[in-house]
Amino acid sequence: MSMAVLILLLLAGGVLAWQSERINPNLPRWVALGSVVGSLVFLLLSIPADQPVHLPNPGNPNDWMLYLKIDWIPRFGIAFELAMDGLSLLLVVLTLLLGLIAIASSWSEIDFKPGLFQANLVWTLAGVCGVFLAVDLFLFFLFWEVMLIPMYLLIAIWGHENKTYAAMKFFIFTQASGLLMLVAIVVLAWQGLASTGQLSFSYLDLLGLELDPRLGYWTMLGFFLAFTVKLPAFPFHTWLPDAHTQAPTAGSVLLAGILLKTGAYGLLRFCIPLFPEASMEFAPIAMGLGAAGVIYGAILAFAQSDFKRLVAYSSVSHMGFVLLGLYAWNQLALQGAVMQMVAHGVSTAALFMMAGALQHRLHTRDMRRMGGLWHQAPRMGACAMFFAVASLGLPGLGNFVAEFLVLLGLFAVQPGLAVIAALGLITAAVYSLWMMQQAFQGTPDEQRKMPDFDTREMLAMAAMMLALIWLGLYPQPVLDLAQPVLDGLQQLVPGADTVTALETPANNLAGGGL
Amino acid sequence: MGGLQIPMEHVLVLAGLLFSCGLLGLMLRRNIIFMLMSLEVMLNASALAFVAAGARWGEADGQIIFLLILSVAAAEVAVGLGLVLQIQRRFKTLDMDQARRLRG
Amino acid sequence: MASVALIPLLPLASAILLLLSAGKMPRHITAILGAGSVGLSAVCVALLARAFLADGDIVQATLWTWMAVGDFTPRIAFYIDGLTIVMMSVITGVGFLIHLYSIEFMWNDESICRYFAYMNLFVAAMLLLVMADNLLLLYLGWEGVGLCSYLLVGFWYRDPNNGKAARKAFVVTRIGDTAMILGLFLLFTELGTLDIQPLMAAANSQWQIGETLPILATALLLGGAVGKSAQLPLHTWLPDAMAGPTPVSALIHAATMVTAGVYLIARTYELFLLAPPTQLAVAWIGLATLLLAAFAAMAQNDIKRILAYSTISQIGYMFLALGVGAYASGIFHLVTHAFFKALLFLAAGAVIHCLHHEHNIFRMGGLRTRLPVVFWSFLIGSAALAALPFSSGFYSKDAILLSAWELPGIGHWLWAGGLLGALLTGIYSFRLVFVVFFGQAHREPDRQPGWKMSVPLVLLCILALSGGMLVLPLAQVFPAAAPHEASHIIEYISIGTPLLGLLLAYLMFLGHQLPADKLVSTAGGRSLRDFFQAGWRVDQLYDALLVQPFTALSHWWRNEPVDRIYNGVVTLSQWAHHKLTASQTGELRWYATTMVFGLVLLLAIMLRNAT
């Protein structure tokens, strides 16, 4: 029940924040903050202490940490079915924490209808939490759409100069691919009906379904497209730079920090386990797209002069690693992909907050008009440096652990692709340092007056720095949380695990074309 | 009594002619009032066919439908004339080729 | 023995404190904290070294498991043997002297706090690098020192050229680092561990000498070493890295960080023994680099660039030593080089400091009497660099050349190349001395170095002179080398060559019997000089081959070529929209007519189907 309460708390918090504007324009942000903190505390209190000691089977309701099923449209086998395991817990906590960061980053930025703004923010969080918790595919699709609409409004109403175009592009890309997923969901449910005689949209019932290979492949593609558009993977990423550039700071933080992760989560939770054979057949293409994204995003990031656009392309590059890790489908690579979801969420959220702070102060995102900012704002410079080197994968910070594990896992499967993706480490250094040079180093404009980070902003930044250092030096808690889930998912997919890859390394190496 | 006194075909041909007149009028006239009148003619043509058919089969359905058509026509005239007044006021003309604000 | 963690932790804590103070800490506290933490660290290393020399026990300490995913369980753990002790002593000892020197050198800089924070961070990262028990932790230190190098080269960030040099240093070394990380992937995938000692044991038991896999793995590791140690073909970043403050050049770009590649190869030497082709490549790379850099050093005018090229050249000697299997000699040269090159850089820094940031040696001159302490330091440093007899450099370089001579097969060629390098070293190092300290004075120094600068200079002088007597505790680390059996002739030749270089430098730059100007005045001479001065134009080559295409490509793609596909869809639907709206005329009659025709058509179809 606690999961439903969590989502309801957020939805109600949004309504309350919206209406509280009538009392005082400063109230909504406090209400929003309160509802997110409240949900977080509530969630942490309701986690059961005991976890299954055996290898969890995702098809068994008792193997989940929390499980809730309420009939909704029983006639079609649709239920309000939520479930939580370590992976969802991790992502929900990340969502709520980044929600706090998003609220903090827009604390004094919004003058127009602050109530509605905060409401949309919190509703997005509710939608994302729903996506991470739903295990009924129909419900999942519902939440998938729910998180889309408030995000669309955030961009379309509070965005920058070209907001309508960006919001529309974001909406159409996500919506069109989402419809493909809906079709795939319905096809899958009908297949379930045909083979078991019972219509059900439940993930637990549909797992392990025997599918006609051809049909399975096409249905898998429906899911894959929806999730890779969201991820985003090359070549479906073009909505992202526009949406990020035009979104208000809080919108960019949410978009980069958590909305992209729903795509990765969908691939990991639904796309690969539901269609194991088709996915393994498709894996080389998916990994190719991932590697292409790593390189392509990095090259384009280097050419940008807009701070936010640069960070947006760096996201494309980093999410390529997630795709590589997921389809390499061994323990190391999967853990790496999960780590990347968390670490990239934090580091990119921080960089977007930085971009928002710069825009708020300088009224431009164009780095050609910055330069030498370190002189005026050393705290901002230091923070930017920290997150820039985090994003280029400096060991000791979370992103390195993620990228290292992904590449290490990938190397056992596809050494050639690992080499190509490793080139992304070089290009990441090129664009990150170029960003620092353009914005913070160089000759300062002595005329420019600009305030440095204040205490609120420094607190948010310090929290994210500590999180990245923690993830980089002692990632074990995160790894332990995800490990049973990944083991459970891996046993569903035959024919791909690290053990065999390690036992016959020479063959793999020879086959990989290194 | 009972039955139709004149051949059925004659009535149907007449109804068809009337209907075609109405249809042509609707397609060719530009004045909205004439277009409305053409519609009335078409309605009446079909009503005539109903009445004739009712008489032919000795059933009351024909007359019932005739009454229905009558009331529909009355309603249509009421709405139509209201539209005519509005069109006259807005466009200062009754020529429907001039009133083409729906053009894409 | 987890207390060894204190050694890197002290500078790290100081760095964090300094960073958190955000420049608000008073200058003298900054200085005490910055230099003191490294000093304390040095004391700890000294205690550790005393204990080690007494009992010779290898110290191992595990702090925690970094991450555990299946079989992959790298730990934050230290492994301290003789090699590590040597490296740690150099890092903290020379590091402390340079920190002390920095207090005076950087006293008037507004960002002294940031400076010491970065320097301390560097020392901590470098210590982690050498103390690491596994290659992943080593990689952490490896990238950490790279970051600090980037930060310190670009320390004076207002000049975009410094930023460019810093980025170049980071990116070029990152290319090597990426090769190295691929090497780590390969090693783990094949051998199932990254802990250095078990790794080497596993390699010895699973691989045969000369197999493809060890060759590939060592080649990838060598890529990392080549990048970090500025060897061919990734050496181009080091001369530009001189944009940083001079003590930084002394610490990072002469004494410690750039020798990390040498350390890496020495640390994993058992892998290299399994891969003779890579081993040979190490020797050839070392030889080629030492010659190339020595020629380039002769044509430079900037005092720091001369020293930078000479550093590249000397590391070339170390690689040569590693390549011929004389690991202990390589490390010995690393140590003596740390002494005399740090000394030279600090002395050069003193010259620059006292001459208003003058870098061009031809605008100096006659400083022998004006800056006596600096002159003697420089002279001793140059003597050691040129390997004049009885200086520290003599012992280490001599050992390398002898080992090269004794290598069967190509050994004589390597020896001859090394000897030519020694001749060139003699010429360029004394060219520097003669031009800067003798002859006519062009500028007057406006101050004298104070005690904080002089004391490190004097101490380093002593080390540079007597460093040759040191006996490094490397006997247990490397296989024992056979005693040298070369004839005395070879010995005399290697003693005589640097003296010949000294003589030539005297004739060319002081006595003017062989004036260098005349040599350069011919067209061929000038173009040769320009060629050497531009570092054999390797930079231009890379610029044309890599940098320009990359920038061009990224600017060509800048506006998102993929979006054209989606824009095509948009254009298509807009076109269809225009075409289809043509049917919406707004004319009522048109609608009525089309409706009629549509109905007729439908009726016709239905009738046709009905019959």
Side-chain angles (χ1 to χ4, degrees):
Chain A
M1 207 57 214
S2 50
M3 289 177 291
V5 175
L6 172 79
I7 294 169
L8 276 179
L9 255 178
L10 288 170
L11 286 175
V15 176
L16 216 63
W18 183 15
Q19 293 306 319
S20 65
E21 187 192 55
R22 295 164 191 239
I23 303 167
N24 183 340
N26 288 332
L27 205 52
R29 55 196 192 197
W30 287 105
V31 175
L33 193 68
S35 74
V36 177
V37 172
S39 323
L40 191 60
V41 171
F42 176 76
L43 173 71
L44 295 178
L45 288 179
S46 57
I47 302 168
D50 56 325
Q51 301 215 1
V53 280
H54 59 281
L55 195 59
N57 170 18
N60 176 5
N62 297 326
D63 278 2
W64 296 73
M65 278 182 185
L66 293 172
Y67 181 78
L68 169 76
K69 184 169 187 171
I70 303 168
D71 273 349
W72 182 16
I73 317 176
R75 210 181 151 162
F76 297 127
I78 295 171
F80 188 82
E81 190 179 18
L82 301 175
M84 186 168 81
D85 57 10
L87 181 66
S88 342
L89 173 66
L90 189 65
L91 290 169
V92 171
V93 170
L94 176 77
T95 304
L96 293 177
L97 286 177
L98 285 181
L100 290 181
I101 298 288
I103 293 170
S105 69
S106 62
W107 197 251
S108 53
E109 203 183 86
I110 301 299
D111 299 323
F112 177 70
K113 285 188 190 285
L116 193 59
F117 179 84
Q118 300 291 353
N120 277 314
L121 208 68
V122 181
W123 287 335
T124 311
L125 295 180
V128 176
C129 287
V131 164
F132 288 143
L133 293 175
V135 285
D136 183 281
L137 289 181
F138 189 84
L139 186 67
F140 175 77
F141 180 77
L142 180 89
F143 280 122
W144 188 262
E145 298 292 309
V146 165
M147 72 177 177
L148 172 63
I149 292 159
M151 187 38 104
Y152 167 78
L153 292 176
L154 281 179
I155 301 172
I157 302 179
W158 291 275
H160 302 308
E161 65 281 352
N162 203 3
K163 58 193 177 189
T164 323
Y165 170 76
M168 200 71 87
K169 198 169 178 182
F170 164 68
F171 193 86
I172 291 175
F173 265 82
T174 329
Q175 184 73 353
S177 59
L179 283 176
L180 285 178
M181 176 166 76
L182 183 63
V183 173
I185 288 175
V186 171
V187 170
L188 188 67
W190 278 105
Q191 285 292 307
L193 176 67
S195 66
T196 63
Q198 198 151 27
L199 187 60
S200 168
F201 281 85
S202 170
Y203 172 68
L204 281 61
D205 295 337
L206 293 172
L207 269 178
L209 202 62
E210 289 290 326
L211 287 170
D212 168 51
R214 211 175 138 70
L215 187 71
Y217 197 80
W218 284 103
T219 322
M220 182 277 297
L221 274 186
F223 280 90
F224 180 80
L225 265 176
F227 296 138
T228 40
V229 165
K230 200 75 166 195
L231 190 59
F234 177 84
F236 311 113
H237 63 276
T238 62
W239 61 271
L240 180 98
D242 288 311
H244 269 318
T245 316
Q246 300 303 328
T249 309
S252 302
V253 169
L254 286 189
L255 204 53
I258 48 185
L259 254 74
L260 306 189
K261 276 63 193 179
T262 58
Y265 172 82
L267 288 173
L268 178 56
R269 171 79 79 207
F270 297 105
C271 190
I272 303 178
L274 284 175
F275 310 98
E277 286 88 8
S279 293
M280 283 308 120
E281 196 188 332
F282 187 67
I285 301 175
M287 285 192 274
L289 288 182
V294 168
I295 301 295
Y296 184 83
I299 291 178
L300 262 77
F302 175 69
Q304 305 305 319
S305 54
D306 182 319
F307 195 102
K308 274 182 136 179
R309 239 182 141 73
L310 192 154
V311 182
Y313 276 111
S314 83
S315 284
V316 175
S317 179
H318 288 140
M319 295 316 276
F321 281 106
V322 174
L323 197 58
L324 283 169
L326 291 179
Y327 277 87
W329 200 253
N330 57 39
Q331 208 177 19
L332 287 164
L334 282 176
Q335 281 286 17
V338 173
M339 271 306 284
Q340 179 79 329
M341 283 155 80
V342 180
H344 172 265
V346 177
S347 71
T348 310
L351 280 173
F352 275 119
M353 191 171 164
M354 176 69 63
L358 284 175
Q359 179 162 26
H360 193 61
R361 287 165 169 78
L362 302 170
H363 306 291
T364 180
R365 298 184 306 268
D366 190 341
M367 287 187 287
R368 286 168 297 193
R369 293 173 56 194
M370 298 178 188
L373 291 182
W374 197 300
H375 177 64
Q376 274 113 356
R379 282 184 193 173
M380 288 179 91
C383 292
M385 183 61 86
F386 182 91
F387 291 108
V389 298
S391 127
L392 66 79
L394 191 82
L397 302 176
N399 305 53
F400 169 75
V401 175
E403 283 163 21
F404 186 85
L405 288 176
V406 166
L407 290 174
L408 186 56
L410 182 64
F411 193 87
V413 187
Q414 288 267 12
L417 272 180
V419 171
I420 294 174
L423 293 180
L425 298 176
I426 302 172
T427 41
V430 174
Y431 67 72
S432 299
L433 300 183
W434 180 232
M435 177 188 87
M436 283 308 295
Q437 173 68 37
Q438 283 184 296
F440 288 96
Q441 295 163 340
T443 322
D445 176 2
E446 299 289 347
Q447 307 296 316
R448 186 168 47 209
K449 288 277 173 289
M450 121 178 189
D452 207 346
F453 270 159
D454 58 22
T455 319
R456 167 181 61 85
E457 286 162 316
M458 273 318 281
L459 268 180
M461 286 286 162
M464 288 188 278
M465 285 185 193
L466 285 179
L468 281 185
I469 293 173
W470 172 60
L471 288 173
L473 290 179
Y474 190 61
Q476 207 56 43
V478 172
L479 299 176
D480 285 344
L481 206 54
Q483 191 59 58
V485 183
L486 298 178
D487 286 342
L489 290 176
Q490 266 186 291
Q491 68 178 354
L492 296 170
V493 181
D497 57 50
T498 25
V499 183
T500 51
L502 278 175
E503 276 168 5
T504 53
N507 301 343
N508 276 309
L509 196 68
L514 186 113
Chain B
M1 295 294 286
L4 194 59
Q5 302 301 312
I6 47 172
M8 181 70 186
E9 289 77 17
H10 293 197
V11 184
L12 285 184
V13 168
L14 178 64
L17 280 175
L18 276 174
F19 191 86
S20 308
C21 281
L23 201 57
L24 282 175
L26 182 72
M27 290 195 289
L28 298 176
R29 300 302 296 239
R30 291 195 215 176
N31 192 309
I32 178 85
I33 294 184
F34 281 95
M35 291 171 88
L36 277 175
M37 286 168 67
S38 305
L39 277 177
E40 289 298 312
V41 171
M42 284 158 72
L43 276 173
N44 283 319
S46 53
L48 179 62
F50 272 114
V51 171
R56 168 71 179 78
W57 301 107
E59 297 271 343
D61 295 8
Q63 273 92 340
I64 294 170
I65 295 291
F66 175 71
L67 286 177
L68 185 71
I69 290 177
L70 213 61
S71 45
V72 168
E76 187 229 309
V77 167
V79 176
L81 286 181
L83 276 173
V84 171
L85 283 177
Q86 282 299 319
I87 289 168
Q88 173 64 27
R89 256 188 222 163
R90 292 258 169 123
F91 298 98
K92 306 291 178 216
T93 176
L94 288 178
D95 182 349
M96 286 318 285
D97 283 6
Q98 304 295 313
R100 35 188 252 175
R101 290 241 313 253
L102 272 178
R103 204 165 91 97
Chain C
M1 278 299 275
S3 56
V4 290
L6 215 59
I7 296 169
L9 210 57
L10 278 168
L12 182 66
S14 158
I16 292 172
L17 258 178
L18 288 171
L19 282 176
L20 287 182
S21 79
K24 294 201 180 63
M25 204 174 277
R27 246 159 235 276
H28 51 275
I29 297 188
T30 303
I32 291 171
L33 208 57
S37 61
V38 180
L40 270 181
S41 208
V43 172
C44 295
V45 172
L47 292 176
L48 185 70
R50 205 180 64 174
F52 179 82
L53 290 178
D55 55 20
D57 284 346
I58 289 169
V59 181
Q60 277 179 296
T62 304
L63 297 189
W64 70 86
T65 302
W66 191 351
M67 54 188 116
V69 182
D71 302 332
F72 182 62
T73 52
R75 294 164 301 143
I76 305 278
F78 302 129
Y79 175 89
I80 298 167
D81 61 359
L83 177 59
T84 313
I85 293 269
V86 169
M87 293 299 291
M88 285 165 80
S89 313
V90 169
I91 294 161
T92 54
V94 177
F96 172 67
L97 293 180
I98 293 171
H99 274 74
L100 188 63
Y101 175 96
S102 299
I103 296 175
E104 190 178 327
F105 192 86
M106 297 299 288
W107 189 256
N108 291 321
D109 197 290
E110 58 170 1
S111 305
I112 184 170
C113 182
R114 192 159 59 92
Y115 173 82
F116 274 108
Y118 292 166
M119 286 289 267
N120 282 345
L121 195 61
F122 170 80
V123 172
M126 191 70 207
L127 284 169
L128 270 184
L129 193 165
V130 296
M131 290 163 73
D133 133 285
N134 61 70
L135 286 174
L136 194 64
L137 185 61
L138 187 147
Y139 188 77
L140 187 152
W142 188 270
E143 288 287 289
V145 292
L147 172 72
C148 294
S149 160
Y150 161 77
L151 292 172
L152 283 163
V153 171
F155 179 74
W156 288 311
Y157 59 84
R158 290 179 188 221
D159 184 353
N161 288 329
N162 295 350
K164 193 172 175 213
R167 282 202 314 284
K168 184 175 172 187
F170 194 87
V171 172
V172 174
T173 48
R174 197 104 217 259
I175 295 172
D177 297 353
T178 304
M180 173 172 163
I181 205 168
L182 287 171
L184 300 200
F185 297 152
L186 182 64
L187 287 172
F188 178 77
T189 310
E190 297 302 323
L191 302 174
T193 179
L194 285 181
D195 296 349
I196 296 169
Q197 303 306 324
L199 183 79
M200 295 205 286
N204 273 326
S205 66
Q206 289 183 29
W207 285 342
Q208 301 299 315
I209 292 180
E211 271 185 325
T212 318
L213 283 174
I215 293 173
L216 201 58
T218 47
L220 289 168
L221 289 185
L222 175 62
V226 157
K228 208 52 130 196
S229 290
Q231 297 294 292
L232 270 177
L234 297 178
H235 65 285
T236 56
W237 62 271
L238 189 61
D240 288 348
M242 295 298 119
T246 310
V248 171
S249 313
L251 178 63
I252 300 184
H253 304 120
T256 53
M257 184 188 87
V258 287
T259 55
V262 179
Y263 170 78
L264 176 70
I265 296 178
R267 180 45 89 200
T268 55
Y269 77 97
E270 287 184 42
L271 295 178
F272 282 81
L273 286 182
L274 290 172
T278 324
Q279 180 91 353
L280 202 62
V282 174
W284 280 115
I285 287 176
L287 182 67
T289 311
L290 83 87
L291 287 175
L292 177 141
F295 277 113
M298 287 207 300
Q300 304 300 316
N301 294 334
D302 182 322
I303 185 166
K304 285 182 73 180
R305 281 182 89 87
I306 299 176
L307 292 178
Y309 274 112
S310 102
T311 304
I312 299 177
S313 176
Q314 296 304 309
I315 299 172
Y317 276 108
M318 298 174 210
F319 269 62
L320 180 63
L322 298 174
V324 300
Y327 298 105
S329 309
I331 297 296
F332 189 29
H333 195 56
L334 187 159
V335 174
T336 57
H337 174 256
F339 295 151
F340 65 71
K341 193 48 72 64
L343 172 64
L344 281 170
F345 264 113
L346 292 188
V351 171
I352 294 166
H353 185 68
C354 298
L355 283 182
H356 299 289
H357 300 283
E358 179 58 67
H359 278 234
N360 189 334
I361 53 169
F362 291 105
R363 276 185 248 141
M364 299 173 181
L367 294 176
R368 177 166 49 101
T369 48
R370 293 173 179 82
L371 297 171
V373 180
V374 180
F375 166 65
W376 284 106
S377 311
F378 217 100
L379 192 66
I380 292 169
S382 296
L385 171 62
L388 294 189
F390 311 114
S391 66
S392 60
F394 169 73
Y395 294 101
S396 52
K397 201 180 276 183
D398 198 40
I400 294 175
L401 289 177
L402 281 180
S403 308
W405 173 261
E406 284 162 5
L407 188 76
I410 53 153
H412 291 20
W413 290 104
L414 293 174
W415 174 80
L419 209 62
L420 176 60
L423 178 71
L424 295 172
T425 312
I427 297 176
Y428 71 69
S429 50
F430 282 94
R431 166 181 179 252
L432 191 54
V433 173
F434 293 145
V435 170
V436 173
F437 292 97
F438 292 83
Q440 205 181 347
H442 295 277
R443 294 187 69 156
E444 283 298 318
D446 62 342
R447 54 186 139 180
Q448 289 290 327
W451 70 267
K452 293 192 210 68
M453 279 169 114
S454 307
V455 168
L457 286 178
V458 172
L459 286 176
L460 283 171
C461 280
I462 297 170
L463 286 171
L465 277 177
S466 64
M469 322 288 176
L470 284 177
V471 180
L472 301 179
L474 297 174
Q476 291 165 336
V477 184
F478 301 119
H484 296 303
E485 289 167 359
S487 61
H488 287 298
I489 310 265
I490 301 297
E491 295 253 13
Y492 294 143
I493 293 177
S494 32
I495 293 172
T497 313
L499 290 171
L500 182 66
L502 168 63
L503 183 69
L504 280 174
Y506 176 82
L507 294 177
M508 281 159 81
F509 298 101
L510 203 58
H512 294 288
Q513 283 87 348
L514 276 175
D517 307 348
K518 218 173 249 173
L519 208 70
V520 172
S521 58
T522 61
R526 187 180 303 122
S527 60
L528 198 65
R529 201 244 345 236
D530 291 345
F531 180 65
F532 287 149
Q533 195 165 29
W536 296 52
R537 301 208 197 284
V538 181
D539 268 331
Q540 281 102 315
L541 184 72
Y542 289 170
D543 197 52
L545 278 184
L546 296 169
V547 181
Q548 300 289 359
F550 181 79
T551 351
L553 180 71
S554 73
H555 279 89
W556 180 39
W557 279 0
R558 182 189 156 87
N559 291 321
E560 188 62 89
V562 175
D563 230 7
R564 292 206 193 125
I565 301 169
Y566 299 111
N567 286 337
V569 175
V570 172
T571 321
L572 190 72
S573 54
Q574 274 173 347
W575 177 81
H577 163 82
H578 280 298
K579 292 290 155 195
L580 289 175
T581 46
S583 67
Q584 296 284 312
T585 57
E587 289 172 29
L588 205 51
R589 297 187 305 130
W590 162 254
Y591 294 159
T593 314
T594 44
M595 235 150 83
V596 167
F597 279 103
L599 269 174
V600 168
L601 203 69
L602 264 179
L603 276 174
I605 292 170
M606 282 167 73
L607 282 174
R608 200 187 130 94
N609 287 351
T611 53

